[in-house]
Amino acid sequence: MLLCLSPSWLAKVPSEQHPGESSLLVSKAVSFELGGRTCLDEFSPPRRVTYFMGSFGPCKEHGQSAGELARDLDCPTGGSGELARLLEDKLLTRQLLDQRAQVGVPLTLAFTFKRLRPLRDVTTERSVRMVELSGKEGQENLIQEEIEAFLQGSAMKPYSQVVVKPSGWRWNGAHAVTFHAKVEQAAVLQAVLALLESLEEEESALVEAFIPTACLTQPESPNSTSPSSTSPRPDLAIRICTVVCRSWGDQPLLSQIVCGVGRADKPLKHQAMVPQSLESGLRQQGVTDEAQLAAIHAQVKHKAEAAMTAFLEMEAGLSVEQRGGRRAQTDVIGVDFLLTSSEQVLQLMALEMNSQLCLETCALFESMGQAVGVPAGESSRPLVETMLRRTQCHLMEGKHVLVIGAGGVSKKFVWEAARAYGLKIHLVESDPNHFASQLVQTFIHYDTTEHKRDEEHAQRLVGLVRERGLHLDGCLSYWDDCMVLTALVCEQLGLRCSPVAAMRVAKQKSRTHQHLLRRRKEAPLGWASEALYAVPCCHLESHADVERAARHLSFPGVMKLEYGAGAVGVKLVEDVQQCHLHFEKISRDLREDTDHPGIGLGWGNAMLLMEYVSGTEHDVDIVIYDGRMLAAFVSDNGPTRVPHFTETAASMPTCLAPDREAQLVRAAYQCCLGCGLTNGVFNVELKLTASGPKLIEINPRMGGFYLRDWIQEIYGVDIMLASVMVACGVPPLLPAHAEPRTHLVGVMCVVSQHLKALKSTASVETLQALHERGIIRLNLLEEELVAREYEEPYCNVACASPSRREACLKVLGVCQVLGIDSPHYPVSHFLSHFK
């Protein structure tokens, strides 16, 4: 992140990728190091800017220059001169607050010569009345009539004073603001007429009610001993200053609240107040009830975020030219409130929005707090996250990526997201009629189903890539069967991926555990051995192998396909006889890929037997780049349906204590590194026992089912994009300890238990309608309602809530209404672990 103190340090050049736009180059800047040291750096050749933000607001040095630099850039910008003009226009933002956000504003009468474009469709009046004047001459009678009607109207009865002020980008602070008694109509008229003379075409003159401060009872001074010792106290006003940032998914997020306290009979300006916490300001004025303090905070948060939502909705309707460029958007705003009261009930009145004043005030508050150990940066933390997210998307735009294996309908989001990110996907797929063939840049039909010939497949695919003249930035797969093939292709093309040997170890389940068990003495100093997480197991290819395994392992045990997926073929076994029976059945039923596509039978139908481990089941989705863990996300699974261990329910974020969560993350990281998985996004399944984590298996690809969707919704991190970035050699910048924005709890639907409901009360149409209304979060995992002996989940139905308990109650209620809950599928039992 670089700070430029002069526009001469930056230069615009024509964009190579986007005709008509410009790239921004920086040749000189102040850089920052952890700990506070700054350096003045010069760059030769100049560096390309990937995100730009400047002082776009009025009355700022270089403000116009920043607006000129931001216009029509090919990189993301956090604002523009055009957007700042709108944000700093009091009439426009007051109308947005009043009409769209449903936030209280002062009663206002506005005179304007020409409405701003976003105001031209406003026809209804609530708290703001607009009067459009035909010019500066000959309008006195109309203005006088409007002022008289406004001041004498019933809505103005509670107020004794009015304020006359200009509205427009040029007018800032208290400049040209006058105060008048409501009865002085002639003085108000003269103030408006004088102001109109100095206004430009799209500026306005506002007459607004002067809002009285809240009637708060100040606590007595502890030094007061008698009434005579108490000095008179003036009435005080509290101005509340908030910062709201555009978060992931264009959602507003309140990042900071501070307040200033001053005399109620004078305007309380940003530059003239010493910021303090809202709680401190309220307590000084006698508001000490914890419930009331929490209610005021919640009200501020709701109204501030509603204000930004209204502005973003307006902004979304603007043209590229009106926004100041294709990549221009508002990423942070300030919203000011006054604390008032009506009939002894405290209320918030929104005064204005601004582009930087509130951010500067909150930064001042945080810098003062640093002296006493209060962490700084909270007000801008979501803004920086947005900067990084938009920067990374910009860096990935236009990257050419080879994806091997399209997967099923559960991977449909990959192609939609790739298009949204501007990725050029070149897809290799065995099915010539796969739906994804129409959603990618290039479709290469090549049959990869016989994975025992992956070395041969890799050579042929590399030849096809070169024949087509594809210049690839990365190569990856989201499909279990194709991970080893992907590593082989990357190795031959010199692209970033984990080693082929590591992929082979992770792909074969028994080999994973046996490899880790052999690493008892190879753990880094101060780390537990990876062998602690492995479980004794044996590879099975014959009944003789079954007998041999039974002599070495303890029962009960778990049998599963060596290269399987989706829990197909998994079974709890109590003794050697059950082992033989299940081995015989799987050997007969699941012989080749056509018997059950997509579960790894292209690798053969060998099995394994591992000792059963009791405990709660969890997933850790982990991002690793060059052996460094960049992020990890833990989810909880409900009790599985024995004896086949099919997944029933899940919850995120985890309900585990921080130390137990840390155990899982460290175990997942160590197991990946122990197998040699150094680059990629991996899904690690573990059980948490009384003595610590135990590995179930490593899926050397991004987590499936609902996991990508949930992680993005809860933490704002797209692990699909992260996987592409790693593959392209761009290290993702991810929050190491992301704060969850919500809780999600979901239940799996399976055809064997829910066929009747899925054809009636819980049909796909019904579920999708509930999803669109925000009642549930639906992840469709299969296309067809087909009952199979070896089944996989059909869909996941989830509910979101600020608390885990509420999310559990909501999803339980939904499942009861839709017929998903039943005595044979007891949802309340499946949710019982999430406490």
Side-chain angles (χ1 to χ4, degrees):
M1 192 166 294
L2 305 174
L3 173 65
C4 292
L5 300 177
S6 168
S8 64
W9 298 3
L10 294 151
K12 292 173 77 171
V13 297
S15 173
E16 295 178 1
Q17 288 80 25
H18 302 282
E21 295 181 349
S22 300
S23 295
L24 191 61
L25 304 180
V26 56
S27 57
K28 188 177 182 180
V30 179
S31 62
F32 302 83
E33 295 182 3
L34 193 64
R37 194 177 79 161
T38 60
C39 301
L40 182 60
D41 295 327
E42 294 191 19
F43 308 108
S44 180
R47 297 184 65 182
R48 180 168 166 248
V49 174
T50 57
Y51 180 96
F52 180 69
M53 175 174 273
S55 297
F56 303 119
C59 301
K60 300 285 185 181
E61 187 179 1
H62 305 314
Q64 289 295 329
S65 298
E68 287 297 323
L69 287 168
R71 185 173 295 116
D72 294 324
L73 291 182
D74 61 359
C75 71
T77 65
S80 67
E82 288 78 359
L83 292 174
R85 285 176 181 269
L86 299 177
L87 184 56
E88 296 289 346
D89 188 282
K90 292 181 176 62
L91 175 57
L92 170 62
T93 56
R94 190 160 291 183
Q95 278 285 21
L96 292 174
L97 289 163
D98 186 42
Q99 299 275 348
R100 296 196 186 189
Q102 307 289 298
V103 173
V105 298
L107 286 172
T108 305
L109 173 64
F111 297 97
T112 183
F113 299 113
K114 181 181 179 182
R115 296 190 188 193
L116 287 167
R117 188 178 298 273
L119 291 174
R120 292 174 190 172
D121 296 329
V122 175
T123 56
T124 58
E125 293 181 2
R126 288 165 52 88
S127 299
V128 181
R129 171 169 172 74
M130 289 188 294
V131 179
E132 196 162 356
L133 304 175
S134 58
K136 293 186 178 182
E137 303 295 332
Q139 303 292 304
E140 289 82 356
N141 290 337
L142 172 61
I143 295 171
Q144 182 176 359
E145 290 172 4
E146 290 286 349
I147 290 175
E148 288 180 1
F150 176 74
L151 296 179
Q152 296 173 13
S154 59
M156 281 292 294
K157 283 184 178 179
Y159 307 106
S160 60
Q161 287 183 288
V162 294
V163 186
V164 178
K165 62 174 64 172
S167 170
W169 129 287
R170 294 186 304 134
W171 305 94
N172 193 28
H175 182 57
V177 176
T178 57
F179 296 80
H180 308 273
K182 185 175 67 172
V183 296
E184 298 173 351
Q185 294 184 18
V188 174
L189 173 62
Q190 290 306 312
V192 171
L193 292 174
L195 187 56
L196 287 171
E197 286 296 321
S198 59
L199 296 185
E200 295 180 356
E201 187 178 54
E202 290 187 339
E203 296 175 338
S204 308
L206 308 183
V207 182
E208 65 179 48
F210 182 79
I211 306 299
T213 186
C215 297
L216 301 174
T217 303
Q218 297 185 56
E220 290 292 327
S221 168
N223 298 323
S224 298
T225 56
S226 66
S228 60
S229 67
T230 303
S231 58
R233 294 185 178 91
D235 289 335
L236 297 177
I238 295 182
R239 183 177 185 132
I240 299 171
C241 174
T242 67
V243 172
V244 191
C245 301
R246 184 195 292 257
S247 183
W248 51 269
D250 293 332
Q251 294 298 307
L253 179 65
L254 178 75
S255 60
Q256 187 61 278
I257 308 174
V258 301
C259 74
V261 179
R263 293 176 63 101
D265 57 348
K266 295 182 178 180
L268 188 56
K269 301 186 294 181
H270 281 270
Q271 299 88 341
M273 71 184 202
V274 179
Q276 58 185 296
S277 72
L278 177 60
E279 182 178 353
S280 294
L282 291 171
R283 286 186 183 278
Q284 289 178 55
Q285 305 307 312
V287 182
T288 58
D289 181 73
E290 295 296 335
Q292 190 175 19
L293 288 168
I296 292 172
H297 186 282
Q299 190 179 161
V300 172
K301 175 178 171 63
H302 171 73
K303 293 192 173 186
E305 291 179 348
M308 188 171 199
T309 297
F311 191 85
L312 297 187
E313 288 176 352
M314 180 276 297
E315 182 179 291
L318 301 177
S319 67
V320 169
E321 182 181 4
Q322 291 164 351
R323 292 201 311 274
R326 179 175 60 93
R327 310 302 297 271
Q329 65 179 41
T330 303
D331 285 340
V332 61
I333 68 168
V335 188
D336 280 319
F337 296 94
L338 188 69
L339 191 63
T340 182
S341 60
S342 175
E343 298 178 356
Q344 297 185 331
V345 176
L346 292 177
Q347 294 181 340
L348 288 172
M349 189 70 72
L351 297 177
E352 65 178 27
M353 297 189 207
N354 55 71
S355 58
Q356 287 184 298
L357 279 176
C358 286
L359 187 60
E360 292 169 0
T361 301
C362 290
L364 172 61
F365 168 77
E366 291 175 0
S367 68
M368 292 191 301
Q370 282 184 286
V372 291
V374 178
E378 290 306 309
S379 59
S380 57
R381 189 179 306 279
L383 173 60
V384 174
E385 290 179 3
T386 296
M387 290 176 175
L388 294 176
R389 185 164 45 249
R390 295 185 67 197
T391 292
Q392 293 177 101
C393 291
H394 175 61
L395 288 173
M396 297 308 294
E397 194 175 313
K399 295 285 188 185
H400 289 261
V401 182
L402 186 70
V403 177
I404 302 178
V409 68
S410 65
K411 297 291 188 287
K412 186 178 180 181
F413 69 85
V414 170
W415 324 116
E416 296 168 348
R419 180 172 290 182
Y421 288 128
L423 297 169
K424 308 297 185 184
I425 299 296
H426 308 282
L427 174 63
V428 176
E429 168 56 31
S430 302
D431 178 6
N433 300 313
H434 197 285
F435 69 85
S437 65
Q438 305 300 312
L439 304 175
V440 294
Q441 183 85 4
T442 305
F443 181 74
I444 302 172
H445 172 233
Y446 181 87
D447 189 357
T448 64
T449 51
E450 194 176 340
H451 288 285
K452 293 178 180 179
R453 298 168 55 198
D454 271 353
E455 287 83 357
E456 178 186 336
H457 295 325
Q459 290 181 351
R460 291 186 175 180
L461 285 176
V462 169
L464 288 172
V465 167
R466 288 172 176 160
E467 283 176 18
R468 292 170 179 256
L470 301 179
H471 299 283
L472 300 176
D473 298 292
C475 171
L476 76 162
S477 179
Y478 299 102
W479 199 238
D480 288 271
D481 288 3
C482 299
M483 300 311 301
V484 174
L485 174 58
T486 299
L488 287 164
V489 171
C490 287
E491 183 179 69
Q492 293 190 35
L493 291 174
L495 297 172
R496 181 176 295 270
C497 185
S498 293
V500 175
M503 286 295 191
R504 291 192 186 278
V505 169
K507 180 58 186 169
Q508 186 176 340
K509 295 176 174 60
S510 66
R511 189 174 174 183
T512 305
H513 287 273
Q514 290 163 1
H515 177 84
L516 294 174
L517 286 167
R518 289 194 294 268
R519 293 178 55 85
R520 289 187 182 278
K521 298 180 181 179
E522 298 183 36
L525 185 64
W527 287 30
S529 168
E530 301 99 289
L532 289 176
Y533 309 126
V535 178
C537 59
C538 292
H539 179 76
L540 308 176
E541 290 191 12
S542 65
H543 285 284
D545 291 337
V546 174
E547 287 291 336
R548 192 179 305 111
R551 290 194 296 269
H552 290 89
L553 302 177
S554 301
F555 285 97
V558 178
M559 289 185 71
K560 59 174 74 173
L561 286 166
E562 186 75 91
Y563 304 98
V568 174
V570 181
K571 188 174 183 182
L572 179 72
V573 288
E574 302 287 350
D575 52 42
V576 66
Q577 184 179 3
Q578 290 186 9
C579 287
H580 281 294
L581 289 172
H582 190 56
F583 182 83
E584 182 65 30
K585 180 174 177 55
I586 294 298
S587 299
R588 182 179 64 249
D589 294 351
L590 302 175
R591 301 175 64 88
E592 54 191 33
D593 193 65
T594 54
D595 293 330
H596 200 306
I599 62 163
L601 293 175
W603 286 90
N605 67 344
M607 301 192 73
L608 79 150
L609 174 65
M610 66 189 302
E611 293 182 358
Y612 174 75
V613 177
S614 62
T616 55
E617 192 169 326
H618 307 269
D619 281 44
V620 180
D621 288 271
I622 187 168
V623 183
I624 300 177
Y625 186 90
D626 267 353
R628 292 181 295 115
M629 180 176 69
L630 303 184
F633 307 95
V634 179
S635 55
D636 305 333
N637 290 336
T640 53
R641 296 176 66 219
V642 292
H644 299 294
F645 298 98
T646 51
E647 184 177 334
T648 58
S651 174
M652 184 182 267
T654 179
C655 56
L656 294 171
D659 61 324
R660 299 287 270 169
E661 180 183 12
Q663 286 184 340
L664 288 172
V665 171
R666 173 57 66 87
Y669 183 36
Q670 279 194 252
C671 288
C672 287
L673 290 188
C675 292
L677 298 172
T678 54
N679 283 288
V681 178
F682 309 113
N683 172 253
V684 185
E685 299 177 26
L686 302 116
K687 275 198 169 181
L688 189 57
T689 71
S691 58
K694 292 292 182 182
L695 177 68
I696 301 174
E697 63 190 49
I698 299 175
N699 299 305
R701 43 78 184 157
M702 181 184 75
F705 289 163
Y706 46 80
L707 285 166
R708 180 259 183 176
D709 178 50
W710 282 24
I711 291 169
Q712 190 171 25
E713 178 66 16
I714 295 168
Y715 298 106
V717 174
D718 188 351
I719 57 174
M720 177 264 174
L721 179 63
S723 67
V724 178
M725 293 185 71
V726 172
C728 292
V730 181
L733 285 168
L734 305 174
H737 306 287
E739 287 295 320
R741 309 286 169 83
T742 188
H743 288 77
L744 277 168
V745 177
V747 173
M748 290 293 200
C749 295
V750 291
V751 176
S752 64
Q753 299 295 317
H754 302 119
L755 182 60
K756 182 179 179 181
L758 291 169
K759 287 186 173 181
S760 55
T761 52
S763 67
V764 172
E765 294 76 16
T766 299
L767 295 175
Q768 287 177 336
L770 292 173
H771 174 86
E772 290 169 4
R773 291 168 57 191
I775 297 173
I776 68 168
R777 194 165 193 90
L778 174 67
N779 286 99
L780 198 62
L781 309 176
E782 292 287 336
E783 280 187 288
E784 298 179 355
L785 279 172
V786 179
R788 297 173 176 172
E789 181 180 1
Y790 303 102
E791 68 178 351
E792 297 178 84
Y794 175 74
C795 68
N796 181 274
V797 174
C799 288
S801 184
S803 76
R804 183 182 302 105
R805 183 176 180 275
E806 284 183 29
C808 285
L809 292 173
K810 285 171 69 175
V811 78
L812 176 60
V814 166
C815 289
Q816 289 171 342
V817 170
L818 296 178
I820 296 169
D821 180 46
S822 72
H824 300 291
Y825 203 83
V827 171
S828 59
H829 169 64
F830 299 147
L831 303 179
S832 61
H833 283 186
F834 308 144
K835 297 179 181 177

